[in-house]
Amino acid sequence: MGKPLFYEILEKPATSCAIGICSAIWFYIQKSNIGYSHVGLSYEAAMVEGHYWRIITSAFSHISVLHLVFNISALWSLGVVEQLGHIGLGVEYYLHYTLVLVVLSGMLVVGMYHILIQKFKLEYFRRVTAVGYSCVVFGWMTILSVKQPSSKLNLFGFLSLPISFAPFESLIFTSIIVPQASFIGHLSGIIVGYAVGWGLIHGMTNYWAVTMLGWTVFVFVFSLKKSGTYDLNFLEIEPVTDPSLPSVRFFAAGNSRSLQMSTSTDAAADLV
């Protein structure tokens, strides 16, 4: 007989929080009738419209309950990473590189779309929308296959896969049970996972993790505000004018540009 669920949650706090967040967001999406286009990541939305915030919202959003169940099942099994502090993993490692997987795999998805659209002229990928935590799940499968190749990945409580083959086996399995699953999204997670597992991406400390999180939050809020998708009037910053400070302005004179400095009171600086 296994451990009570309560004790397993205590042993996998970060995994439990991630599962809780994904489940809560799925419930909210279902209740609010939100679709892929509202939270998903597409090349058109990110690169043309500047909706960089979708890199984050797409990672934690699920529309299909089957997709959510698969990710939760795999994520719970992968939570063993939090218990492997003795080999250099553990909760801190898990938190640091989950952030890396969320951000970099999302950026890689957009990069792959860019190559397919611009290089191979596959316009279909311009509006393909990706959602789900699969990038992170496949990333952790890959990292664990490198760090602890003897581990097993348990899915749905009855299916057990050798972790060394799990990323690619799951890639095929997911494509069968969830035909709409994003192959590129899953592949990007595997690529970033290998980069972390092989040490190509390394050196994440609390300092760098907090710095990366801070910049991620800044870009998220700034792009969300700029896109005007949601009303964020409470983030409006009032213009600041200090008559004691000189202002610098350019004005055109014929075909040339001149620089003028003044101390007039009509100059204002918008702080963003």
Side-chain angles (χ1 to χ4, degrees), residues 9-255:
I9 290 174
L10 292 179
E11 291 178 348
K12 304 175 182 179
T15 300
S16 301
C17 286
I19 290 174
I21 291 170
C22 288
S23 300
I25 291 175
W26 174 83
F27 182 78
Y28 176 78
I29 285 173
Q30 298 304 310
K31 285 293 184 180
S32 305
N33 293 318
I34 295 174
Y36 288 98
S37 61
H38 295 94
V39 294
L41 176 65
S42 69
Y43 181 84
E44 190 79 13
M47 300 305 294
V48 179
E49 300 174 15
H51 294 186
Y52 306 123
W53 50 268
R54 290 176 179 269
I55 290 176
I56 305 302
T57 59
S58 63
F60 293 94
S61 301
H62 296 77
I63 307 299
S64 164
V65 65
L66 189 58
H67 191 194
L68 175 68
V69 170
F70 174 85
N71 281 347
I72 285 178
S73 177
L75 192 61
W76 183 254
S77 180
L78 293 166
V80 69
V81 171
E82 297 187 65
Q83 303 169 347
L84 297 176
H86 60 283
I87 63 170
L89 303 181
V91 177
E92 192 173 281
Y93 183 93
Y94 186 88
L95 290 171
H96 289 174
Y97 288 99
T98 291
L99 177 61
V100 170
L101 287 168
V102 169
V103 176
L104 294 191
S105 61
M107 293 172 64
L108 186 56
V109 166
V110 176
M112 288 182 176
Y113 285 162
H114 180 79
I115 293 172
L116 291 170
I117 293 166
Q118 302 298 331
K119 183 71 174 178
F120 298 98
K121 308 302 179 184
L122 299 175
E123 292 295 318
Y124 163 77
F125 288 98
R126 188 174 291 275
R127 291 183 174 82
V128 170
T129 303
V131 294
Y133 205 66
S134 300
C135 289
V136 180
V137 170
F138 277 77
W140 277 117
M141 282 184 199
T142 307
I143 293 170
L144 198 58
S145 71
V146 174
K147 301 286 189 180
Q148 191 80 351
S150 60
S151 299
K152 296 280 188 181
L153 176 68
N154 298 310
L155 296 174
F156 308 113
F158 63 88
L159 183 61
S160 181
L161 303 174
I163 196 66
S164 54
F165 301 109
F168 298 101
E169 289 175 340
S170 298
L171 192 61
I172 297 171
F173 182 69
T174 306
S175 299
I176 294 173
I177 66 169
V178 187
Q180 300 86 5
S182 172
F183 180 86
I184 291 178
H186 296 169
L187 183 61
S188 69
I190 292 174
I191 292 172
V192 177
Y194 274 123
V196 173
W198 289 339
L200 301 177
I201 299 174
H202 66 281
M204 282 292 286
T205 62
N206 288 334
Y207 171 79
W208 288 114
V210 170
T211 300
M212 186 177 184
L213 179 61
W215 278 108
T216 301
V217 171
F218 174 78
V219 172
F220 178 88
V221 174
F222 179 78
S223 63
L224 189 61
K225 172 68 176 176
K226 189 176 180 181
S227 70
T229 307
Y230 298 98
D231 184 14
L232 297 177
N233 287 333
F234 62 92
L235 292 177
E236 196 72 42
I237 299 176
E238 294 293 332
V240 176
T241 302
D242 188 342
S244 65
L245 297 176
S247 64
V248 179
R249 67 180 66 179
F250 287 95
F251 66 92
N255 293 325

